[in-house]
Amino acid sequence: MKSGLAGRLAQLGRAVEGRLPQLVPPAAERPESVHRAMLYALTSPGKRLRPILTLVVAELFGQTSPVVLDLACAVEMVHASSLVLDDLPCMDDASLRRGRATTHREFGEDVALLASFGLLNRAFALVAACGQRLQLRRYGTEDMVHHLAAAIGSGGLIGGQALDLESRPEDLDLERLEYIHSHKTGALFLAAGELGAMAADARRRNLEMISRYAKNLGLAFQISDDLLDVLATSEETGKDSHQDDDKVTFVKLLGVEGAQHLAEELLAFAVESLEPLGRKAEPLRQLALFVGQRGH
Ligand code: GRG
């Protein structure tokens, strides 16, 4: 049963990978440099966790339309756009991402910045088109667009990143660190889950249930990321390792075991919130399990 589910999640990841390159302008089309960089940032080998979440949630509530695949790809475009920005010299100044040179190292900062905005813009256009094509009863296109915009804005990814950049180690306590990561990382998991539920026209109480699950999953995922930064090698993560050495992380505040414990607690909350859905929610439990295993 479990390996069947893991196989299903991997299959969804492959469906995303297959669709992503079809949803951006051809690299040979002007402006070639930006289009090549968009494709590079988007199709480099990632785990595709956020779009998988969108697809699994939609499927859970009975929505299997191919339109959801495009919606899920829009979520991955936002993620890719954020990674390009996060890696820039004025932010994390990273050289390696997904086992390859970061986008600005490959194409230059100017092109990387334009490619990031290109992906973001494309994501919104796609979400709007998907909302139109789905023709839902409970949610309109504007609901989807608003949820995504809220996740990215200064109350979401941008807010978390801003606080991360301006925090000095001595300012950081658990409350501030939780704020940073529930925004910087958690907000997009939240939007990924919510868009999946909306695409399936899920009842409001089910949407709220998914929001609780996704929020906790997202924060636990960030903690597992902090753990990997100290426990795994650069070959294993595909990123510069010890990138967080100058930062305050969950691991620095709580120690390895404390951070693992907090991640487990958050995942338990996430899974608990799925109880009313019964066995139907098994793929989401499997996703939580995957996140839990990452930090060990
Ligand atoms: C305007 C989109 C936009 C963002 C502006 C730069 C920024 C604000 C936010 C940074 C958000 C960010 C990159 C958070 C880190 C999240 C994280 C844990 C990334 C790694 O995710 P994985 O492991 O990566 O899922 P893969 O490579 O597997 O996709």
Side-chain angles (χ1 to χ4, degrees):
M1 178 70 179
K2 266 186 188 150
S3 64
L5 270 179
R8 175 72 188 131
L9 297 181
Q11 191 182 36
L12 293 176
R14 283 195 298 275
V16 169
E17 306 242 296
R19 186 68 178 141
L20 285 173
Q22 299 169 359
L23 293 172
V24 284
E29 197 172 277
R30 267 187 186 161
E32 294 89 343
S33 58
V34 174
H35 289 157
R36 279 199 299 119
M38 284 168 71
L39 196 64
Y40 179 87
L42 187 63
T43 60
S44 54
K47 292 179 286 301
R48 317 300 179 202
L49 217 52
R50 297 153 189 81
I52 290 176
L53 177 59
T54 305
L55 288 165
V56 167
V57 170
E59 203 170 81
L60 173 72
F61 295 116
Q63 177 60 279
T64 54
S65 158
V67 177
V68 186
L69 182 59
D70 289 6
L71 191 64
C73 288
V75 172
E76 182 67 12
M77 285 180 193
V78 174
H79 173 54
S81 160
S82 79
L83 295 179
V84 174
L85 296 180
D86 193 45
D87 289 338
L88 287 173
C90 60
M91 303 236 181
D92 271 4
D93 194 13
S95 57
L96 196 66
R97 168 72 70 181
R98 295 172 163 176
R100 297 183 181 173
T102 47
T103 308
H104 67 274
R105 291 274 176 125
E106 189 69 20
F107 296 91
E109 274 181 63
D110 47 1
V111 173
L113 200 59
L114 292 172
S116 171
F117 288 122
L119 286 170
L120 196 58
N121 205 46
R122 184 75 193 108
F124 275 106
L126 255 182
V127 171
C130 291
Q132 289 296 109
R133 285 161 69 198
L134 284 166
Q135 290 287 330
L136 305 166
R137 213 158 46 88
R138 293 190 177 87
Y139 310 97
T141 300
E142 66 277 19
D143 293 311
M144 291 188 167
V145 170
H146 278 157
H147 270 69
L148 189 64
I152 299 168
S154 56
L157 264 73
I158 291 175
Q161 179 80 350
L163 231 71
D164 193 10
L165 290 173
E166 68 196 32
S167 294
R168 293 163 307 168
E170 58 272 28
D171 298 331
L172 278 169
D173 54 21
L174 201 55
E175 186 275 327
R176 198 169 163 106
L177 199 60
E178 264 191 46
Y179 176 94
I180 291 173
H181 293 300
S182 59
H183 288 75
K184 188 177 157 171
T185 305
L188 196 54
F189 275 83
L190 179 64
E194 286 174 338
L195 286 177
M198 285 181 173
D201 226 357
R203 291 173 189 279
R204 294 273 167 189
R205 64 164 184 276
N206 285 332
L207 176 66
E208 281 160 22
M209 186 191 305
I210 293 300
S211 303
R212 269 196 303 281
Y213 164 85
K215 235 187 234 173
N216 285 309
L217 184 81
L219 194 53
F221 181 78
Q222 176 60 51
I223 298 173
S224 73
D225 214 59
D226 285 1
L227 282 159
L228 284 180
D229 188 70
V230 293
L231 299 177
T233 62
S234 177
E235 287 77 47
E236 287 164 325
T237 62
K239 298 194 276 188
D240 305 306
S241 58
H242 298 282
Q243 182 80 12
D244 296 343
D245 276 358
D246 301 332
K247 290 187 182 168
V248 176
T249 64
F250 284 100
V251 176
K252 286 215 188 107
L253 278 187
L254 303 172
V256 168
E257 279 182 22
Q260 284 171 337
H261 182 72
L262 179 58
E264 279 158 20
E265 220 170 61
L266 291 164
L267 291 171
F269 285 141
V271 168
E272 220 176 87
S273 51
L274 301 172
E275 231 163 68
L277 294 173
R279 292 194 53 193
K280 216 161 68 151
E282 210 45 53
L284 292 181
R285 293 191 188 96
Q286 185 74 19
L287 267 185
L289 202 68
F290 168 76
V291 170
Q293 284 163 352
R294 277 184 93 224
H296 282 84

